[in-house]
Amino acid sequence: MQPHISDADVDPDEAFQLVFRELKRHEETGRKNFVVRVPVELLEYLFSAILRKSGMSRVALERLLAELGIYGFKDADGRILRRYLSGHTRMAWSTYQRLMQWALSSGWISMWVFRNLAFRSHEREAAQLCARKILNTLKRRATLPDLTKEQVVACFYEAYQLRQQERDQAVATRLRTDSAARELASFVEFGLNE
């Protein structure tokens, strides 16, 4: 069954363009394998919002993330944030989404920024997953011109839906076992209904 447009909240032309841009970015890297990671511009957006609202310096923010044991910052040597923002180190999507939730619960990003980042990260991750799937398929048989726009869009929606289901399952599990997560969920639900 092909996913419906409303399932991803991204129109077909935009979905196609997102995947095409990810394929071009990968081609420009010259890498053999496609890496599914957070783009630097989304990291810059999140961290600049946190720094602006918190009034912290980059060094202070990095120390706090290390003290809190945020994955990817646990062994902070004072340069991890700089490496993420320069693109030398690529952040996993799951780490980025935990950082977004932490920033929201700490009051360091607004609900509007959180929703914008969540939507943008979901569509970019789906586009990357689709692009990787296409490249892996091309290694075996087809060429890019052999793929139709409809196939690319269907691939995007499939990746988007699959990741959304995985996120929903993870949230349900955390809500059952983590009281802080339940508090955050009620806060987010209140913010969405404002």
Side-chain angles (χ1 to χ4, degrees):
M1 181 176 103
Q2 183 175 337
H4 298 288
I5 292 169
S6 60
D7 293 339
D9 294 325
V10 179
D11 78 40
D13 290 334
E14 186 178 352
F16 180 78
Q17 287 300 319
L18 284 165
V19 174
F20 182 77
R21 282 194 296 268
E22 293 299 335
L23 288 167
K24 289 294 287 178
R25 282 188 186 103
H26 171 71
E27 185 181 320
E28 290 167 2
T29 67
R31 291 183 177 156
K32 187 174 184 177
N33 295 322
F34 191 97
V35 179
V36 177
R37 291 289 186 262
V38 181
V40 172
E41 69 266 15
L42 286 182
L43 286 171
E44 288 172 344
Y45 184 39
L46 174 61
F47 285 118
S48 65
I50 292 170
L51 293 170
R52 199 170 31 255
K53 188 104 178 211
S54 70
M56 284 189 283
S57 68
R58 285 186 179 189
V59 173
L61 175 59
E62 184 161 3
R63 277 195 205 119
L64 178 60
L65 293 171
E67 287 169 17
L68 293 171
I70 302 290
Y71 182 81
F73 290 88
K74 289 180 183 177
D75 301 319
D77 62 2
R79 295 188 191 103
I80 293 174
L81 185 57
R82 190 179 318 146
R83 286 196 305 260
Y84 278 137
L85 292 173
S86 70
H88 286 102
T89 302
R90 304 286 304 272
M91 183 179 286
W93 283 106
S94 57
T95 301
Y96 182 73
Q97 287 153 358
R98 281 193 300 273
L99 277 170
M100 286 173 26
Q101 292 167 353
W102 170 78
L104 177 66
S105 66
S106 299
W108 290 340
I109 59 172
S110 68
M111 182 58 66
W112 183 89
V113 169
F114 177 81
R115 283 188 277 196
N116 185 33
L117 282 170
F119 178 72
R120 290 172 65 185
S121 69
H122 295 172
E123 66 181 15
R124 289 294 293 275
E125 183 182 18
Q128 287 181 357
L129 290 168
C130 178
R132 182 175 67 184
K133 183 177 181 179
I134 288 170
L135 287 175
N136 288 340
T137 301
L138 294 180
K139 286 178 188 174
R140 289 189 292 275
R141 58 176 174 82
T143 62
L144 194 54
D146 292 339
L147 294 171
T148 66
K149 179 179 178 179
E150 291 75 24
Q151 289 171 311
V152 172
V153 170
C155 175
F156 173 87
Y157 289 146
E158 181 183 317
Y160 192 99
Q161 276 190 321
L162 180 62
R163 285 298 294 127
Q164 188 59 48
Q165 289 168 356
E166 290 169 0
R167 282 188 292 271
D168 291 347
Q169 287 173 340
V171 167
T173 300
R174 285 200 67 198
L175 290 177
R176 283 194 304 274
T177 61
D178 186 339
S179 61
R182 283 193 295 274
E183 284 181 40
L184 177 60
S186 64
F187 175 73
V188 170
E189 185 176 339
F190 176 75
L192 293 174
N193 293 328
E194 284 183 336

